[in-house]
Amino acid sequence: MALLELLDVSVEYGRIRALHGISISVDQGEIVTLIGANGAGKTTTMRAISGVRPLATGSIRFDGDDITKLRADLRVVRGICQAPEGRGVFPGMTVDENLDMGSYARKDRKNLPAELERVFELFPRLKERRNQIAGTMSGGEQQMLAIGRALMSKPRVLLLDEPSMGLAPQFIAQIFSIIREINRQGVTVLLVEQNASKALGIATRGYVLETGSVVLQGTGAELLNDDRVRAIYLGGEASAATA
């Protein structure tokens, strides 16, 4: 049984249908990636899973339970948390205060110091700058903070929406290395990413979205070597499954 399932999910913005009956599954322990062009429906899919966008049709199941009507905050309590596109840090708060906001829904407060240390082990720079105002940090540092804040909720599934967007190459490599480590520590990851080569290089499986529909799916290696994926998303170059 899949940990997270979208079954025939459609989402509308007024009269515009952004998702057309997509079905996606994520098993425990996987890294699953969604790739596609701008406007393909990737971020809408993440918003639907997070509960901030209602469904027009279909259902979402998590750990065997139907969560289609569950409020967004209660999905965080259940173990679904997102680091959104654009990072979304609280710019006037310190690093420590941002991380504390990530734990607001947790009942096991006594375990928070250990979780904070885990975040600092993944992101040593955040520990160095824990008293710095988040809005004064670089884009890469804010992305680390957004992921760290999501981890403070102790997610079972971590939703990452465009974590490499706008980052310098050295930060991109670091972010993908950290995503792998987060997954090795037992967190299932659903990743939306325009850098298809990097995303498929670390993914267990992937889905290709076009205009709100799933048009291809397979293992990360299969999609990296698919002629259509190479032509459209990888610049026509053959790619090895490395990140």
Side-chain angles (χ1 to χ4, degrees), residues 120-153:
F120 286 154
E121 287 175 6
L122 287 166
F123 303 104
R125 189 167 302 198
L126 296 184
K127 187 171 186 177
E128 295 170 1
R129 306 194 175 198
R130 58 189 305 174
N131 295 316
Q132 183 171 341
I133 298 299
T136 67
M137 301 171 75
S138 71
E141 291 164 346
Q142 289 187 26
Q143 185 61 69
M144 293 176 185
L145 180 55
I147 296 173
R149 184 183 58 193
L151 289 174
M152 287 299 294
S153 73

Side-chain angles (χ1 to χ4, degrees), residues 88-137:
V89 300
F90 298 102
M93 293 183 177
T94 66
V95 167
D96 265 356
E97 289 167 340
N98 269 270
L99 293 174
D100 189 53
M101 288 296 293
S103 65
Y104 82 97
R106 290 185 56 172
K107 307 299 183 185
D108 55 336
R109 309 297 295 180
K110 66 180 181 180
N111 294 323
L112 291 183
E115 294 297 330
L116 185 60
E117 283 306 310
R118 176 191 176 206
V119 169
F120 286 154
E121 287 175 6
L122 287 166
F123 303 104
R125 189 167 302 198
L126 296 184
K127 187 171 186 177
E128 295 170 1
R129 306 194 175 198
R130 58 189 305 174
N131 295 316
Q132 183 171 341
I133 298 299
T136 67
M137 301 171 75

Side-chain angles (χ1 to χ4, degrees), residues 1 19 31 59 95 107 112 128 137 175 184 186 194 199 243:
M1 181 176 67
L19 295 178
I31 298 176
S59 63
V95 167
K107 307 299 183 185
L112 291 183
E128 295 170 1
M137 301 171 75
I175 289 294
R184 279 195 290 265
Q194 285 194 330

Side-chain angles (χ1 to χ4, degrees), residues 149-168:
R149 184 183 58 193
L151 289 174
M152 287 299 294
S153 73
K154 202 175 181 180
R156 297 181 64 192
V157 174
L158 177 62
L159 310 178
L160 297 175
D161 194 352
E162 301 286 5
S164 76
M165 179 180 289
L167 300 188

